[in-house]
Amino acid sequence: LRLHTQRSMLFAQLQKHSCKTPYKHLLQTQGLFCLFDIPPEGVALLREQSGIYIALDGRISLAAITKDNVEAI
């Protein structure tokens, strides 16, 4: 239930920003990790400028997402 809530929070936040990429896979998949189609250059930018850790393949851990930090992500 917790991971589903985190997926829903992240999906809602991404929808607020009118992202061009549909992120419905957040709601349709299960598990602790989620893949995003982010090129290595974009991953490096997010790491350096925002302190957000994303694996080079675009994988994030949903365990790190909370109601207090979802807006920053």
Side-chain angles (χ1 to χ4, degrees):
L1 184 61
R2 180 173 178 242
L3 289 175
H4 177 71
T5 301
Q6 289 164 299
R7 286 176 179 276
S8 296
M9 285 190 310
L10 183 56
F11 177 78
Q13 190 63 33
L14 290 169
Q15 292 299 104
K16 284 182 185 177
H17 292 283
S18 301
C19 294
K20 294 179 184 178
T21 305
Y23 289 110
K24 290 188 180 189
H25 71 283
L26 284 170
L27 304 176
Q28 299 168 342
T29 56
Q30 297 179 4
L32 181 60
F33 297 98
C34 189
L35 282 173
F36 286 88
D37 189 21
I38 302 172
E41 303 82 30
V43 169
L45 193 66
L46 287 168
R47 286 180 181 183
E48 293 168 11
Q49 292 185 356
S50 302
I52 297 173
Y53 180 79
I54 301 174
L56 289 177
D57 64 357
R59 180 175 39 98
I60 65 165
S61 170
L62 294 170
I65 297 172
T66 68
K67 64 180 180 178
D68 296 326
N69 70 7
V70 71
E71 287 185 28
I73 296 170

